[in-house]
Amino acid sequence: MLDFRKILLEDREVVHKNLYAAVGHGCECSFANLFLWAEQSIAFLGETPLFLCRYGDWTAYLFPQCENLQEAVDALRADAHARGIRFRIFGVTPSEAETLTALYPHRFTARSVRDSYDYVYDIERLCGLRGRKLQAKRNHCNHFEQTYPDYRVLPLTKDLLPRCIAFTQAWYEEHRDAHPYSDMSGEKAAIQKAFRCFDALRMEGIALETQDGIVAFSMGNRIREDTFDVNFEKALAEINGAYPMVNREFARLIHSRYPEVRYLNREDDMGIEGLRRAKESYYPDLLLEKIVLEERK
């Protein structure tokens, strides 16, 4: 059995270095997401980090990023059998699914998980919102700018975080009252942890402020040489244009800081209908497929 333990902030550098090279992968291949969400554990096979992830009753291993793939998969499979759990690997790309199927004929079943597909956008397109398809987004931004001509875009700093924390707490309280049967406890815990560990996780972000205070914020971290991941975004729904504005302004900030970044990964929709519509309304340049491989019984 592998020696899995809780992921610590001290693991960031070695994990980030490993996952930063995971070209073509989604937001799950990110130290921040592994650290922030659910119950995730780390073990090492030599110098290679391996991950065991639990989401409620669902348990799976993250696809290993290493040169000797078969050695890592064999080690994970043995670990699953020793623990008496179903052997699953998630975060698998279609090409990786083909590779594993060739290595282990008839061993796995493959299942594409639409709710976990990442929405990936060309950052320049989000900066300018150009084109007929994004006309409605431009209109919302124009309305916001006309309504709040003195608005400010504030980079997230240590001094600004307490105001964003208060804003987020109020947002969740309002959402709880409006949607009493919607469980957002997991996301709330993750975002609070992100605020507490903002600097250590190398998070970056912005807040959108009007004369009435903060009306939106967004934050994320760079996960690939060409990709920046947007981990969290919240806005006051009653403020027309707040969401499109914070989306556009965050894209502009990241583009100005890192001209080599080509894509914003705005993560998955978790199967939430409203969130899916919102992400689809920006017409993603890539809908990144995610596959779960399960060992046959």
Side-chain angles (χ1 to χ4, degrees):
M1 186 181 297
L2 293 167
D3 185 20
F4 279 99
R5 60 164 173 79
K6 182 180 179 180
I7 298 175
L8 305 173
L9 281 175
E10 291 78 8
D11 296 316
R12 184 192 179 275
E13 292 308 315
V14 65
V15 171
H16 180 70
K17 182 179 179 180
N18 176 262
L19 297 181
Y20 198 74
V23 176
H25 283 77
C27 62
E28 67 283 342
C29 286
S30 153
F31 177 78
N33 279 330
L34 288 168
F35 179 77
L36 292 172
W37 287 91
E39 183 183 346
Q40 321 245 30
S41 304
I42 187 172
F44 287 87
L45 184 64
E47 296 183 356
T48 299
L50 302 173
F51 303 95
L52 174 61
C53 308
R54 291 187 177 90
Y55 301 92
D57 296 331
W58 194 82
T59 305
Y61 299 89
L62 182 63
F63 186 87
Q65 302 299 321
C66 58
E67 292 184 3
N68 194 333
L69 179 62
Q70 189 165 5
E71 179 188 22
V73 171
D74 286 345
L76 293 177
R77 179 172 178 264
D79 184 80
H81 290 178
R83 294 176 189 277
I85 60 176
R86 183 81 176 270
F87 181 40
R88 300 186 184 95
I89 306 176
F90 78 107
V92 184
T93 67
S95 63
E96 289 167 344
E98 292 178 5
T99 297
L100 281 179
T101 300
L103 280 174
Y104 302 92
H106 313 297
R107 178 72 58 81
F108 294 104
T109 61
R111 177 169 53 91
S112 186
V113 185
R114 174 62 181 85
D115 293 353
S116 295
Y117 285 20
D118 282 358
Y119 293 77
V120 182
Y121 306 85
D122 181 282
I123 193 169
E124 290 189 356
R125 196 164 61 81
L126 292 189
C127 286
L129 297 176
R130 292 185 295 273
R132 208 159 113 191
K133 289 182 177 180
L134 297 179
Q135 178 66 55
K137 304 299 182 186
R138 293 198 303 276
N139 291 344
H140 285 302
C141 288
N142 291 337
H143 182 274
F144 182 94
E145 290 175 318
Q146 292 168 6
T147 306
Y148 306 100
D150 297 325
Y151 79 91
R152 294 198 299 163
V153 179
L154 306 173
L156 283 191
T157 62
K158 186 175 181 179
D159 292 339
L160 187 59
L161 285 181
R163 294 181 59 199
C164 284
I165 292 170
F167 169 83
T168 305
Q169 182 64 31
W171 189 95
Y172 279 112
E173 290 176 0
E174 182 179 344
H175 187 277
R176 181 195 59 202
D177 293 340
H179 307 277
Y181 301 106
S182 178
D183 183 10
M184 302 195 74
S185 58
E187 182 192 72
K188 184 178 179 181
I191 201 169
Q192 289 173 340
K193 198 172 181 181
F195 281 131
R196 290 197 304 271
C197 305
F198 188 84
D199 289 337
L201 291 173
R202 313 290 200 276
M203 301 293 279
E204 301 178 61
I206 62 167
L208 193 62
E209 183 185 56
T210 70
Q211 67 272 19
D212 298 320
I214 291 176
V215 297
F217 86 94
S218 183
M219 67 175 170
N221 73 113
R222 189 173 179 177
I223 60 172
R224 308 282 178 274
E225 186 65 22
D226 65 351
T227 305
F228 196 95
D229 187 35
V230 182
N231 297 100
F232 303 104
E233 180 182 274
K234 299 297 179 189
L236 298 180
E238 65 271 21
I239 303 295
N240 189 344
Y243 271 112
M245 278 292 293
V246 76
N247 186 333
R248 186 192 75 182
E249 294 303 316
F250 195 32
R252 289 179 175 180
L253 175 75
I254 298 307
H255 189 48
S256 67
R257 285 182 177 176
Y258 309 109
E260 65 276 19
V261 167
R262 296 182 57 198
Y263 303 107
L264 280 186
N265 184 329
R266 294 182 55 79
E267 302 194 345
D268 57 45
D269 58 37
M270 299 180 288
I272 300 172
E273 184 178 348
L275 191 55
R276 179 168 296 185
R277 286 198 305 268
K279 291 178 185 281
E280 288 178 339
S281 71
Y282 280 92
Y283 301 92
D285 294 279
L286 173 64
L287 197 55
L288 187 60
E289 183 178 3
K290 310 283 188 65
I291 294 171
V292 171
L293 295 176
E294 293 185 326
E295 187 174 31
R296 297 178 187 272
K297 294 182 178 180

